[in-house]
Amino acid sequence: MEMLRDDGRRAEGLRPVSFERGVSRYAEGSALVSWGHTRVLCAASVEDKVPPFLRGSGSGWVTAEYSMLPRATHQRSPREISKGRPNARSSEIQRLIGRSLRAAVELPKLGERTITIDCDVLQADGGTRTASISAGFIALFDALRWLRKNEKLPSIPLKNQIAAVSVGKVAGEVMLDLCYEEDSAAEVDANLVMTGGGEFIELQGTGEGGSFSYAELAQIVEFGWSGIAEIQKMQRDALELDEAERELFKKCE
Amino acid sequence: MEMLRDDGRRAEGLRPVSFERGVSRYAEGSALVSWGHTRVLCAASVEDKVPPFLRGSGSGWVTAEYSMLPRATHQRSPREISKGRPNARSSEIQRLIGRSLRAAVELPKLGERTITIDCDVLQADGGTRTASISAGFIALFDALRWLRKNEKLPSIPLKNQIAAVSVGKVAGEVMLDLCYEEDSAAEVDANLVMTGGGEFIELQGTGEGGSFSYAELAQIVEFGWSGIAEIQKMQRDALELDEAERELFKKCE
Amino acid sequence: MEMLRDDGRRAEGLRPVSFERGVSRYAEGSALVSWGHTRVLCAASVEDKVPPFLRGSGSGWVTAEYSMLPRATHQRSPREISKGRPNARSSEIQRLIGRSLRAAVELPKLGERTITIDCDVLQADGGTRTASISAGFIALFDALRWLRKNEKLPSIPLKNQIAAVSVGKVAGEVMLDLCYEEDSAAEVDANLVMTGGGEFIELQGTGEGGSFSYAELAQIVEFGWSGIAEIQKMQRDALELDEAERELFKKCE
Amino acid sequence: MEMLRDDGRRAEGLRPVSFERGVSRYAEGSALVSWGHTRVLCAASVEDKVPPFLRGSGSGWVTAEYSMLPRATHQRSPREISKGRPNARSSEIQRLIGRSLRAAVELPKLGERTITIDCDVLQADGGTRTASISAGFIALFDALRWLRKNEKLPSIPLKNQIAAVSVGKVAGEVMLDLCYEEDSAAEVDANLVMTGGGEFIELQGTGEGGSFSYAELAQIVEFGWSGIAEIQKMQRDALELDEAERELFKKCE
Amino acid sequence: MEMLRDDGRRAEGLRPVSFERGVSRYAEGSALVSWGHTRVLCAASVEDKVPPFLRGSGSGWVTAEYSMLPRATHQRSPREISKGRPNARSSEIQRLIGRSLRAAVELPKLGERTITIDCDVLQADGGTRTASISAGFIALFDALRWLRKNEKLPSIPLKNQIAAVSVGKVAGEVMLDLCYEEDSAAEVDANLVMTGGGEFIELQGTGEGGSFSYAELAQIVEFGWSGIAEIQKMQRDALELDEAERELFKKCE
Amino acid sequence: MEMLRDDGRRAEGLRPVSFERGVSRYAEGSALVSWGHTRVLCAASVEDKVPPFLRGSGSGWVTAEYSMLPRATHQRSPREISKGRPNARSSEIQRLIGRSLRAAVELPKLGERTITIDCDVLQADGGTRTASISAGFIALFDALRWLRKNEKLPSIPLKNQIAAVSVGKVAGEVMLDLCYEEDSAAEVDANLVMTGGGEFIELQGTGEGGSFSYAELAQIVEFGWSGIAEIQKMQRDALELDEAERELFKKCE
């Protein structure tokens, strides 16, 4: 008989997830995600500038920044600025979010613009990077809509629907969507970022004090894709797609 | 006939203000304030350590940190860490918040503990520092309650109820509680921090391209105290004081 | 009978103050102030550049920097650079000095130039920020003279004569111009910056472990304005104004 | 007929790899790896201290630092220190190397010691992180031998033999061990870190402008494991294992 | 016939030099030197701590810090802290001053104390590092006197009288004590630090766009020693040595 | 009878020195020097840009950077970036190397280009700065050859052949080319940089806990020039000069 997890979930179950759009009065797109007790505020900002290597190329850029409020966690952590240097974990995560969300957009059709997705973790209970990617996609899509609505772009340059989940191995068993306690005890921690068509954009599996076999990798991928498909459905619902946008999403798969 | 302000307020009117307590699952005290469109998340963290100059003194410390999310504002601002140095305006504000909230607590009765109030501005439409102080007081009081409830302190070492408002002079007229547009156009910008008894903890008036007379100062103080008294009533309501606490607050006046 | 202070001053008395102009061979204006044992060297530098937000506006800028020599104080303090980050107190003070001295100049008539007032505290015995503002005004005025004399400006774009003093409440009594020992013991510490016409540019009152009433504020203002008027007289004497300049100062009141 | 790569390799072929041990006169273990034109100098340093979270635990730590000489690359890159902040890519890589090499050691048997593996890239032609891990393992093992030989440890606390390779998808084809030119053109870039027993310690696959299917993942893993097994053979040869050590390696599989 | 320099000096002539002692109210020793138009304020601070490598050794330390006020020079230079990093020239100079003044003291007899000599350049017209060393010696000696007078040391642990001058080669001619204009045009720039007995503590000669022969080195040394002997006489006069101290200085030669 | 040194050398003997050219696949010039156990990798990079003060002048620039690998030394030293600030010793050394190598080139004939010599110490056993200068000259000359060969310059703008050695006084005896143990025990430490014609570019002598007389200076210079002449011969051999280049070197003397 299957063991249930502390919160009563089955191994392949997601925690309750909800997206609230338009939470920032000023940002071109924004979403607040509640994913179990994890809460991340994602704001998409459009700016008419690109990094040096793209100047004059006509192409745009998508990037992300990630940070945790000091008391997002059980114990207060000092702010990065009070240590005077970027937190290496945060840098690594924001690079992952940036790469993942860049895969959502046809950059050459974006024009010489940068969309920055700020992901600020208000409360952290595991899975903050995958929550950031999944909610960041919503903020990003609303920013693309804003660009079209304000006639800065003729159409929405969507390339892929992007969502992400974490999967782990805890006490020898593969489980979807670890909360903080599970994550702390996990032997293996994996993050999957996938397109609407079920292709990988990123797959990162780490043995934290353990290792994993090819068979376990297969199960991680199976659980991950099932969770991601569920999240992608919620993203589309939250976005209240019109007919044309629904077509656009289908074409991307 | 009196001119109304853009949002229909009279000169001495506050914007709609509400406090939500307990918004952080992990902090010992927390409050989210909505003050017009300004939104600040305040979290109070209790730690068993004090700055070097208090070690061995038996006395405690209260301090604050203040930061704005990059897209709290109309235009995105870079994070402090990406500039590699603290923002001077933020440093100045967090010193003000810290001084103000220290005045709320009998530090020698706190024991060798530090309570840090993190004030993170989710959305900024003027008055973020006074909103931080006013909501920070609520988070701080809940942290003091937590200390008593967990039997780390025999009683709540409250010294003063603390609240704050901004007052400005716009187009020659003194006005309470400026929003961002009013603040941008103000000749004079003042911030008042006062106790439940109507004494000043801080009074900062700045002529931004203008100056102010003693008569105008008197009106600034009058408007300020009227606004602060209103906020203090809301603080007490939000805190759902029991009988003993109500007494405690009265004694502080 | 009135209590005298440690150095024999009455409550509303200033310490001996003197200004020495032209102490820097290279700066466009400079002044060394001795204010009791406090000594600050102020140098005004004219540069043909403005901050980004003024480029192309035709308008100029006035800014200030403030720093203490490591052994200006009783105990040696490490240099800011050896801690790798700006001192928050210094940042706050230099922002105050900058705002105060900007109020002295018609910036749109300055042309696209920046005047930087460097205030370096050689010895600190209380009141360094108000001494910096008062001596900084002299250095600034001499730099404006230099601009006119070198035919870079048709006239001196003076807007206000600016001076500053500190006032505090010590052992329940309001006193003008605190020295370090008095400042350390003060319950309330206030800094006033005023124009020749007796209007406020800045008023900052802080309850350091205490609070102050409206009646005390009135007395703080009274003592402050009396001290500032005295300092402004000394500034005019030190500047050795000619007839036209004397007129200019009068018009500013 | 199979297409050969620019240097004549087949898709699943490694570049010429060689390890030189003992290149540092002072380090407790060291190895210089030549991997195609990539050259990394790895030095293992033993220090009698551990990070704060391990103090008093009796357990040890393994960590890594990674840096490139400024002219390791086609174009000179500024040093991290001249930019004043750590390079985010370097931070991410050194965290990967550290996690990977920690998996090689029974940390509780190491005693309260830290072994730091410094990986300095003298010349970079793709695959520097996997070369660092593979050569870092050799330096680390020699440092463990040094500890036993100097009677600081009763036996060598080896947990896993660790090696790593990169695999990529270039022009739609999966290829082992990309050189710089191939890497620049790759749609997918993966790094695999595996044990002697063929289990994963780390698997990182990134779609750089592309994505990858589950079938492609399978091929990436197949090529990767074949390359890693070859490298592990070279590591054992380079280490000149005695009989007991050979046993130890076998037990780890 | 000998060519005179711009200010009428002969090649081997010093500029007018004067030392003012006791200029800092708080420092244990201090001296302000005027050397031509160069002005440096040196303050010696005694602290009861030593760098880690001396803890428990019973021996003391002497160190120096050097900085220029922003407008000490013809053009304003940004403060080190506003660039966020130490100025390399300043670091180099303060290391030189520190080494030079350490040679003045019997460190093992100083006890576990550090004497820090802060050298802040108020005005710079060439020769600031040699002026700092020469005036720093006076501040240092007064700090040693303070230690004896306060019965922290049984006697003054003087090892050497230390003074310094610059010598340069300008337009092919060797000259003592270059001012800024001469220094800017110099082909060779040398700094000599010598004891009362005429031995070298430091000799630094640099070809700035030129080179120098052994014969020129001999002349540099001859001019340098003659200047240093003159400065050492002024140091002794400024210090107002009593009989015992005069003996002490003689013994050091 | 003459005492031999630990490694059997006479007082005026060099350690075994060898230069390997072309060790970097990408740099325009490079050399690896082995000097006793000291090993430095020097890479010369040509870039089409100059520092601000040379823009538009038509003249070029030569500069150097110096760093040690963390485990180049007996004990591991933290990287500069992990301390967040440049190492003062490294800054000083790289300024010396830069000045020395600038003396090798007719900068006005270089065109608006910068040649940066990166000197990375792989292993440190004393004399790393003089080894860097001596090997840096070889890398620099090869970069100049590259510029001529690629028709960016009509001829090689050599001004001086530059080499350097250290000389010290150990236990009262002057010795050429100190190794780390000798250097640690030295009373005097000197570094000499000289041209092919035997003129000084730099001469730095430091009494480390001792002092030196004029007679000792003369011996330091004698030993130094003899060592430098030997190194210059090795540089010319390593460079495999053709007939025209041999002439060029002679003309520089």
mmCIF file of all heavy atoms in Angstrom, chain E residues 92 95 199-207 211-214 218, chain F residues 92 95 99 199-207 211-214 218:
data_model
loop_
_atom_site.group_PDB
_atom_site.id
_atom_site.type_symbol
_atom_site.label_atom_id
_atom_site.label_comp_id
_atom_site.label_asym_id
_atom_site.label_seq_id
_atom_site.Cartn_x
_atom_site.Cartn_y
_atom_site.Cartn_z
ATOM 1 N N GLU E 92 49.950 51.594 -2.029
ATOM 2 C CA GLU E 92 51.388 51.441 -2.157
ATOM 3 C C GLU E 92 52.105 52.433 -1.232
ATOM 4 O O GLU E 92 53.058 52.078 -0.543
ATOM 5 C CB GLU E 92 51.760 51.705 -3.624
ATOM 6 C CG GLU E 92 53.165 51.354 -3.967
ATOM 7 C CD GLU E 92 53.419 51.510 -5.470
ATOM 8 O OE1 GLU E 92 52.529 51.166 -6.283
ATOM 9 O OE2 GLU E 92 54.497 52.005 -5.827
ATOM 10 N N ARG E 95 51.813 51.504 2.471
ATOM 11 C CA ARG E 95 52.709 50.403 2.821
ATOM 12 C C ARG E 95 54.144 50.916 3.023
ATOM 13 O O ARG E 95 54.840 50.500 3.955
ATOM 14 C CB ARG E 95 52.672 49.327 1.744
ATOM 15 C CG ARG E 95 51.417 48.460 1.829
ATOM 16 C CD ARG E 95 51.101 47.716 0.529
ATOM 17 N NE ARG E 95 52.184 46.878 0.066
ATOM 18 C CZ ARG E 95 52.386 45.612 0.444
ATOM 19 N NH1 ARG E 95 51.560 45.057 1.313
ATOM 20 N NH2 ARG E 95 53.379 44.901 -0.040
ATOM 21 N N GLU E 199 71.920 55.474 7.256
ATOM 22 C CA GLU E 199 71.680 54.205 6.560
ATOM 23 C C GLU E 199 70.320 54.264 5.853
ATOM 24 O O GLU E 199 69.423 54.995 6.287
ATOM 25 C CB GLU E 199 71.672 53.049 7.568
ATOM 26 C CG GLU E 199 73.021 52.801 8.231
ATOM 27 C CD GLU E 199 73.601 51.448 7.840
ATOM 28 O OE1 GLU E 199 72.856 50.444 7.853
ATOM 29 O OE2 GLU E 199 74.808 51.387 7.505
ATOM 30 N N PHE E 200 70.207 53.483 4.814
ATOM 31 C CA PHE E 200 68.940 53.436 4.089
ATOM 32 C C PHE E 200 67.932 52.521 4.774
ATOM 33 O O PHE E 200 68.274 51.405 5.169
ATOM 34 C CB PHE E 200 69.118 52.862 2.673
ATOM 35 C CG PHE E 200 69.961 53.709 1.786
ATOM 36 C CD1 PHE E 200 71.293 53.398 1.573
ATOM 37 C CD2 PHE E 200 69.417 54.816 1.145
ATOM 38 C CE1 PHE E 200 72.078 54.168 0.747
ATOM 39 C CE2 PHE E 200 70.200 55.596 0.317
ATOM 40 C CZ PHE E 200 71.538 55.271 0.120
ATOM 41 N N ILE E 201 66.706 52.973 4.878
ATOM 42 C CA ILE E 201 65.593 52.085 5.216
ATOM 43 C C ILE E 201 64.858 51.725 3.932
ATOM 44 O O ILE E 201 64.494 50.565 3.716
ATOM 45 C CB ILE E 201 64.650 52.766 6.229
ATOM 46 C CG1 ILE E 201 65.361 52.953 7.568
ATOM 47 C CG2 ILE E 201 63.377 51.966 6.424
ATOM 48 C CD1 ILE E 201 65.843 51.677 8.220
ATOM 49 N N GLU E 202 64.676 52.708 3.090
ATOM 50 C CA GLU E 202 64.063 52.471 1.774
ATOM 51 C C GLU E 202 64.754 53.349 0.754
ATOM 52 O O GLU E 202 65.089 54.509 1.040
ATOM 53 C CB GLU E 202 62.573 52.871 1.767
ATOM 54 C CG GLU E 202 61.657 51.938 2.494
ATOM 55 C CD GLU E 202 61.081 50.826 1.621
ATOM 56 O OE1 GLU E 202 61.152 50.916 0.379
ATOM 57 O OE2 GLU E 202 60.563 49.861 2.204
ATOM 58 N N LEU E 203 64.900 52.787 -0.444
ATOM 59 C CA LEU E 203 65.407 53.555 -1.574
ATOM 60 C C LEU E 203 64.604 53.097 -2.772
ATOM 61 O O LEU E 203 64.637 51.929 -3.130
ATOM 62 C CB LEU E 203 66.900 53.251 -1.772
ATOM 63 C CG LEU E 203 67.523 53.737 -3.079
ATOM 64 C CD1 LEU E 203 67.419 55.247 -3.209
ATOM 65 C CD2 LEU E 203 68.986 53.317 -3.140
ATOM 66 N N GLN E 204 63.819 54.000 -3.324
ATOM 67 C CA GLN E 204 62.999 53.630 -4.481
ATOM 68 C C GLN E 204 63.263 54.611 -5.595
ATOM 69 O O GLN E 204 62.926 55.793 -5.475
ATOM 70 C CB GLN E 204 61.515 53.677 -4.127
ATOM 71 C CG GLN E 204 61.102 52.703 -3.043
ATOM 72 C CD GLN E 204 59.594 52.556 -2.962
ATOM 73 O OE1 GLN E 204 58.846 53.430 -3.395
ATOM 74 N NE2 GLN E 204 59.149 51.438 -2.414
ATOM 75 N N GLY E 205 63.863 54.125 -6.665
ATOM 76 C CA GLY E 205 64.097 54.989 -7.822
ATOM 77 C C GLY E 205 63.349 54.437 -9.016
ATOM 78 O O GLY E 205 63.400 53.236 -9.275
ATOM 79 N N THR E 206 62.653 55.288 -9.717
ATOM 80 C CA THR E 206 61.824 54.853 -10.829
ATOM 81 C C THR E 206 62.112 55.712 -12.054
ATOM 82 O O THR E 206 62.066 56.937 -11.972
ATOM 83 C CB THR E 206 60.339 55.039 -10.468
ATOM 84 O OG1 THR E 206 60.052 54.235 -9.339
ATOM 85 C CG2 THR E 206 59.434 54.654 -11.613
ATOM 86 N N GLY E 207 62.406 55.053 -13.159
ATOM 87 C CA GLY E 207 62.528 55.782 -14.418
ATOM 88 C C GLY E 207 61.144 55.980 -14.999
ATOM 89 O O GLY E 207 60.534 55.011 -15.437
ATOM 90 N N SER E 211 65.638 56.604 -17.746
ATOM 91 C CA SER E 211 66.376 55.625 -16.948
ATOM 92 C C SER E 211 67.483 56.392 -16.234
ATOM 93 O O SER E 211 67.632 57.593 -16.427
ATOM 94 C CB SER E 211 66.945 54.525 -17.843
ATOM 95 O OG SER E 211 67.810 55.086 -18.804
ATOM 96 N N PHE E 212 68.233 55.693 -15.383
ATOM 97 C CA PHE E 212 69.315 56.407 -14.702
ATOM 98 C C PHE E 212 70.513 55.486 -14.528
ATOM 99 O O PHE E 212 70.376 54.276 -14.392
ATOM 100 C CB PHE E 212 68.890 57.015 -13.372
ATOM 101 C CG PHE E 212 68.256 56.067 -12.389
ATOM 102 C CD1 PHE E 212 68.946 55.647 -11.256
ATOM 103 C CD2 PHE E 212 66.947 55.620 -12.562
ATOM 104 C CE1 PHE E 212 68.360 54.789 -10.332
ATOM 105 C CE2 PHE E 212 66.356 54.759 -11.642
ATOM 106 C CZ PHE E 212 67.065 54.340 -10.533
ATOM 107 N N SER E 213 71.669 56.145 -14.569
ATOM 108 C CA SER E 213 72.928 55.399 -14.512
ATOM 109 C C SER E 213 73.374 55.272 -13.058
ATOM 110 O O SER E 213 72.815 55.903 -12.164
ATOM 111 C CB SER E 213 73.993 56.151 -15.285
ATOM 112 O OG SER E 213 74.225 57.392 -14.623
ATOM 113 N N TYR E 214 74.434 54.492 -12.872
ATOM 114 C CA TYR E 214 74.974 54.335 -11.534
ATOM 115 C C TYR E 214 75.509 55.665 -11.008
ATOM 116 O O TYR E 214 75.355 55.990 -9.829
ATOM 117 C CB TYR E 214 76.069 53.258 -11.527
ATOM 118 C CG TYR E 214 76.518 52.936 -10.136
ATOM 119 C CD1 TYR E 214 75.704 52.202 -9.286
ATOM 120 C CD2 TYR E 214 77.726 53.414 -9.659
ATOM 121 C CE1 TYR E 214 76.091 51.942 -7.989
ATOM 122 C CE2 TYR E 214 78.119 53.153 -8.350
ATOM 123 C CZ TYR E 214 77.297 52.413 -7.521
ATOM 124 O OH TYR E 214 77.683 52.164 -6.234
ATOM 125 N N ALA E 218 74.378 57.747 -7.610
ATOM 126 C CA ALA E 218 75.281 58.280 -6.581
ATOM 127 C C ALA E 218 74.897 59.721 -6.241
ATOM 128 O O ALA E 218 74.865 60.111 -5.067
ATOM 129 C CB ALA E 218 76.739 58.203 -7.059
ATOM 130 N N GLU F 92 50.655 46.588 -5.778
ATOM 131 C CA GLU F 92 51.955 47.238 -5.820
ATOM 132 C C GLU F 92 52.859 46.541 -6.836
ATOM 133 O O GLU F 92 53.542 47.195 -7.621
ATOM 134 C CB GLU F 92 52.561 47.155 -4.409
ATOM 135 C CG GLU F 92 53.786 47.989 -4.221
ATOM 136 C CD GLU F 92 54.245 47.968 -2.766
ATOM 137 O OE1 GLU F 92 53.387 48.008 -1.850
ATOM 138 O OE2 GLU F 92 55.455 47.903 -2.541
ATOM 139 N N ARG F 95 51.853 47.223 -10.459
ATOM 140 C CA ARG F 95 52.257 48.558 -10.883
ATOM 141 C C ARG F 95 53.738 48.580 -11.252
ATOM 142 O O ARG F 95 54.123 49.199 -12.249
ATOM 143 C CB ARG F 95 51.953 49.570 -9.780
ATOM 144 C CG ARG F 95 50.474 49.935 -9.716
ATOM 145 C CD ARG F 95 50.064 50.561 -8.387
ATOM 146 N NE ARG F 95 50.817 51.739 -8.040
ATOM 147 C CZ ARG F 95 50.500 52.992 -8.388
ATOM 148 N NH1 ARG F 95 49.423 53.196 -9.136
ATOM 149 N NH2 ARG F 95 51.223 54.019 -8.017
ATOM 150 N N ARG F 99 55.144 49.448 -15.019
ATOM 151 C CA ARG F 99 56.112 50.526 -15.277
ATOM 152 C C ARG F 99 57.350 49.978 -15.959
ATOM 153 O O ARG F 99 57.882 50.576 -16.898
ATOM 154 C CB ARG F 99 56.545 51.177 -13.962
ATOM 155 C CG ARG F 99 55.541 52.134 -13.351
ATOM 156 C CD ARG F 99 56.176 53.040 -12.284
ATOM 157 N NE ARG F 99 56.923 52.297 -11.276
ATOM 158 C CZ ARG F 99 56.409 51.862 -10.119
ATOM 159 N NH1 ARG F 99 55.147 52.101 -9.812
ATOM 160 N NH2 ARG F 99 57.152 51.205 -9.265
ATOM 161 N N GLU F 199 71.378 50.509 -17.584
ATOM 162 C CA GLU F 199 70.787 51.628 -16.830
ATOM 163 C C GLU F 199 69.629 51.085 -15.993
ATOM 164 O O GLU F 199 68.995 50.086 -16.348
ATOM 165 C CB GLU F 199 70.257 52.693 -17.810
ATOM 166 C CG GLU F 199 71.337 53.390 -18.618
ATOM 167 C CD GLU F 199 71.440 54.873 -18.263
ATOM 168 O OE1 GLU F 199 70.385 55.535 -18.166
ATOM 169 O OE2 GLU F 199 72.576 55.359 -18.057
ATOM 170 N N PHE F 200 69.348 51.817 -14.906
ATOM 171 C CA PHE F 200 68.242 51.415 -14.045
ATOM 172 C C PHE F 200 66.906 51.896 -14.599
ATOM 173 O O PHE F 200 66.776 53.050 -15.007
ATOM 174 C CB PHE F 200 68.360 52.038 -12.648
ATOM 175 C CG PHE F 200 69.548 51.577 -11.878
ATOM 176 C CD1 PHE F 200 70.696 52.349 -11.819
ATOM 177 C CD2 PHE F 200 69.503 50.361 -11.218
ATOM 178 C CE1 PHE F 200 71.787 51.924 -11.097
ATOM 179 C CE2 PHE F 200 70.607 49.928 -10.493
ATOM 180 C CZ PHE F 200 71.750 50.711 -10.434
ATOM 181 N N ILE F 201 65.916 51.038 -14.571
ATOM 182 C CA ILE F 201 64.533 51.465 -14.766
ATOM 183 C C ILE F 201 63.860 51.576 -13.400
ATOM 184 O O ILE F 201 63.141 52.526 -13.130
ATOM 185 C CB ILE F 201 63.794 50.472 -15.685
ATOM 186 C CG1 ILE F 201 64.359 50.534 -17.086
ATOM 187 C CG2 ILE F 201 62.298 50.746 -15.699
ATOM 188 C CD1 ILE F 201 64.268 51.892 -17.759
ATOM 189 N N GLU F 202 64.133 50.603 -12.554
ATOM 190 C CA GLU F 202 63.635 50.645 -11.180
ATOM 191 C C GLU F 202 64.704 50.091 -10.261
ATOM 192 O O GLU F 202 65.403 49.123 -10.610
ATOM 193 C CB GLU F 202 62.384 49.757 -11.000
ATOM 194 C CG GLU F 202 61.137 50.272 -11.617
ATOM 195 C CD GLU F 202 60.290 51.131 -10.688
ATOM 196 O OE1 GLU F 202 60.538 51.111 -9.455
ATOM 197 O OE2 GLU F 202 59.398 51.824 -11.186
ATOM 198 N N LEU F 203 64.783 50.691 -9.093
ATOM 199 C CA LEU F 203 65.651 50.178 -8.039
ATOM 200 C C LEU F 203 64.877 50.346 -6.750
ATOM 201 O O LEU F 203 64.535 51.456 -6.370
ATOM 202 C CB LEU F 203 66.952 50.984 -8.000
ATOM 203 C CG LEU F 203 67.848 50.782 -6.778
ATOM 204 C CD1 LEU F 203 68.296 49.337 -6.655
ATOM 205 C CD2 LEU F 203 69.077 51.686 -6.880
ATOM 206 N N GLN F 204 64.536 49.227 -6.123
ATOM 207 C CA GLN F 204 63.782 49.308 -4.877
ATOM 208 C C GLN F 204 64.497 48.504 -3.818
ATOM 209 O O GLN F 204 64.585 47.285 -3.921
ATOM 210 C CB GLN F 204 62.365 48.725 -5.051
ATOM 211 C CG GLN F 204 61.526 49.460 -6.062
ATOM 212 C CD GLN F 204 60.054 49.070 -5.968
ATOM 213 O OE1 GLN F 204 59.732 47.991 -5.481
ATOM 214 N NE2 GLN F 204 59.181 49.942 -6.437
ATOM 215 N N GLY F 205 65.006 49.205 -2.811
ATOM 216 C CA GLY F 205 65.656 48.500 -1.706
ATOM 217 C C GLY F 205 64.905 48.781 -0.422
ATOM 218 O O GLY F 205 64.553 49.929 -0.144
ATOM 219 N N THR F 206 64.637 47.738 0.332
ATOM 220 C CA THR F 206 63.836 47.871 1.545
ATOM 221 C C THR F 206 64.540 47.196 2.701
ATOM 222 O O THR F 206 64.915 46.028 2.593
ATOM 223 C CB THR F 206 62.489 47.161 1.347
ATOM 224 O OG1 THR F 206 61.807 47.785 0.275
ATOM 225 C CG2 THR F 206 61.634 47.247 2.594
ATOM 226 N N GLY F 207 64.710 47.952 3.777
ATOM 227 C CA GLY F 207 65.219 47.324 4.995
ATOM 228 C C GLY F 207 64.073 46.675 5.737
ATOM 229 O O GLY F 207 63.222 47.374 6.263
ATOM 230 N N SER F 211 68.769 47.749 7.947
ATOM 231 C CA SER F 211 69.022 48.906 7.095
ATOM 232 C C SER F 211 70.230 48.569 6.243
ATOM 233 O O SER F 211 70.806 47.496 6.385
ATOM 234 C CB SER F 211 69.260 50.157 7.941
ATOM 235 O OG SER F 211 70.383 49.956 8.781
ATOM 236 N N PHE F 212 70.588 49.445 5.305
ATOM 237 C CA PHE F 212 71.777 49.148 4.496
ATOM 238 C C PHE F 212 72.538 50.436 4.219
ATOM 239 O O PHE F 212 71.985 51.509 4.099
ATOM 240 C CB PHE F 212 71.433 48.410 3.212
ATOM 241 C CG PHE F 212 70.385 49.042 2.334
ATOM 242 C CD1 PHE F 212 70.736 49.665 1.140
ATOM 243 C CD2 PHE F 212 69.036 49.006 2.672
ATOM 244 C CE1 PHE F 212 69.769 50.237 0.316
ATOM 245 C CE2 PHE F 212 68.068 49.583 1.853
ATOM 246 C CZ PHE F 212 68.429 50.189 0.677
ATOM 247 N N SER F 213 73.848 50.249 4.114
ATOM 248 C CA SER F 213 74.741 51.391 3.931
ATOM 249 C C SER F 213 74.951 51.638 2.434
ATOM 250 O O SER F 213 74.566 50.833 1.587
ATOM 251 C CB SER F 213 76.088 51.080 4.568
ATOM 252 O OG SER F 213 76.675 50.003 3.855
ATOM 253 N N TYR F 214 75.628 52.720 2.135
ATOM 254 C CA TYR F 214 75.924 53.024 0.746
ATOM 255 C C TYR F 214 76.832 51.958 0.146
ATOM 256 O O TYR F 214 76.675 51.556 -1.006
ATOM 257 C CB TYR F 214 76.564 54.415 0.640
ATOM 258 C CG TYR F 214 76.706 54.846 -0.785
ATOM 259 C CD1 TYR F 214 75.585 55.254 -1.520
ATOM 260 C CD2 TYR F 214 77.945 54.810 -1.414
ATOM 261 C CE1 TYR F 214 75.704 55.613 -2.839
ATOM 262 C CE2 TYR F 214 78.066 55.175 -2.733
ATOM 263 C CZ TYR F 214 76.949 55.582 -3.452
ATOM 264 O OH TYR F 214 77.059 55.930 -4.769
ATOM 265 N N ALA F 218 76.157 49.553 -3.120
ATOM 266 C CA ALA F 218 77.052 49.349 -4.268
ATOM 267 C C ALA F 218 77.176 47.866 -4.591
ATOM 268 O O ALA F 218 77.158 47.462 -5.762
ATOM 269 C CB ALA F 218 78.428 49.943 -3.965
#
